[in-house]
Amino acid sequence: MVKSFLPFIALVVIPSFGGFAAGSSGSQKGALCLTFDDQYLNSWCRELPRFEKYGAHATFFVCWKIDGAAVQTMGRLQKAGHSIGLHGQSHATAVDVVAQKGVDGFIAQEVVPQLQAVAAGGVRAGSWAYPNSRRSDATDVALLKRFRRLRCGGVYRKSIVGNPLSGHDMVFVPVKDIRSKALLWSAPIPSTADGWKEDVCGAIRRAHDRDEVLVFHAHNIRNDNVKDPHDISCEQLEQILQMASEIGVRIVGFDELDVLAPVKD
C-alpha cells in the first residue's frame, strides 16, 4: 500500500489560478485530470488558448533530456497555470533499470538529471509519471521522496473495448480521499475508437455524480489528420473540455488536487 508522502506538501507551492478558483463554486463536483506525456512542448503550448477558454489546467509529464529551450517552454506552461511533471531522462522502464542498477541507480539515471535541469530553470516539477506504466513499491518509495504524486497507467486501450471507462474503478478517486492518494492510476483517452466521445462523457459524468477525481493520459495534441491511439486531436480536446464544462466537472492539474478536499483532523 502506497502512503502519501505528506511532508512534501510544504515543499510544493500550490498556485491560486483564476480558472480553477472560478470553477470551485456552484454546482461543480468532481475533477478531471488531463495528463500528457513525452516532449510535445510546442503542440501543448499551441493549445494554451483552448485551455484558457475553459479555465482548464492540465499536467504535462516531460521525458528525455531537458535543455534550455525545453525549460523555457515548461515555464510558460506553468505560468499559465498548468502542472509540470517528469517522465524520465531516457523514458526507461523503472523496474528494468532497477533490476540492472538498483533503486539508487534508477534515481541517478532517470530522475536526478531532469530535476537538476528544471531547478536550474526555476520550474517546479511536483509529479512523476511512470514510463510504460511499470512500477514497484520500492520505486514508489524512492520517488515520493522527491515528488508529491505519481501516475501510472492502470487501464489499457485493449481493456476498454466493450468495457466502458465509467466502469473502471481504478482510475476514479473520491475527492474527499485525494489528499491521501500519492499514486494515481490513469486511463488512455480512446481517441481512435468508435464511440469514444460517449465513453469519455460517461466517465466524466460519473466523476461529477460521485464527486470523484478521474485521470486520463495521452501524448500529443495533434492538428493534423494522423490517427494515433496515443494522441488526441485539437477537436477532441475541445470536445472533452466542453463536456466537462457542461457537466460541471473541474479540470485541474496535479498541483491543484490537494486543495480540492478539506484537511482532515
Side-chain angles (χ1 to χ4, degrees), residues 94-220:
V95 292
D96 291 345
V97 178
V98 170
Q100 297 176 353
K101 300 183 177 182
V103 173
D104 290 343
F106 160 67
I107 295 295
Q109 174 183 306
E110 293 298 313
V111 182
V112 171
Q114 288 201 309
L115 281 174
Q116 291 175 336
V118 295
V123 172
R124 302 182 310 277
S127 302
W128 171 272
Y130 276 107
N132 306 311
S133 295
R134 293 182 61 200
R135 48 162 291 283
S136 70
D137 289 346
T139 57
D140 288 350
V141 170
L143 288 166
L144 287 172
K145 295 176 181 178
R146 296 162 175 85
F147 302 98
R148 172 66 183 98
R149 274 196 175 80
L150 314 177
R151 194 214 71 199
C152 192
V155 176
Y156 300 91
R157 275 176 291 277
K158 63 182 180 181
S159 65
I160 294 174
V161 178
N163 189 2
L165 282 167
S166 59
H168 290 276
D169 293 341
M170 178 180 280
V171 298
F172 294 90
V173 177
V175 168
K176 65 181 179 63
D177 297 331
I178 196 62
R179 282 179 174 268
S180 66
K181 300 297 182 182
L183 174 64
L184 297 180
W185 302 92
S186 63
I189 300 170
S191 59
T192 58
D194 292 337
W196 77 270
K197 184 177 179 180
E198 292 76 12
D199 203 4
V200 169
C201 186
I204 295 174
R205 190 167 296 282
R206 167 180 164 163
H208 174 273
D209 293 347
R210 301 190 188 184
D211 198 20
E212 295 172 324
V213 176
L214 164 64
V215 185
F216 280 136
H217 65 257
H219 289 180
N220 197 5

Side-chain angles (χ1 to χ4, degrees), residues 40-87:
Y40 297 99
L41 292 164
N42 291 335
S43 296
W44 298 339
C45 273
R46 185 193 63 231
E47 296 304 312
L48 284 176
R50 197 183 310 275
F51 284 110
E52 184 178 7
K53 172 182 174 182
Y54 291 94
H57 301 139
T59 306
F60 299 101
F61 290 101
V62 180
C63 65
W64 305 316
K65 181 178 179 180
I66 299 172
D67 60 18
V71 170
Q72 278 193 328
T73 309
M74 292 164 73
R76 181 183 171 195
L77 290 165
Q78 193 160 72
K79 187 175 180 180
H82 301 278
S83 299
I84 298 297
L86 301 180
H87 196 41

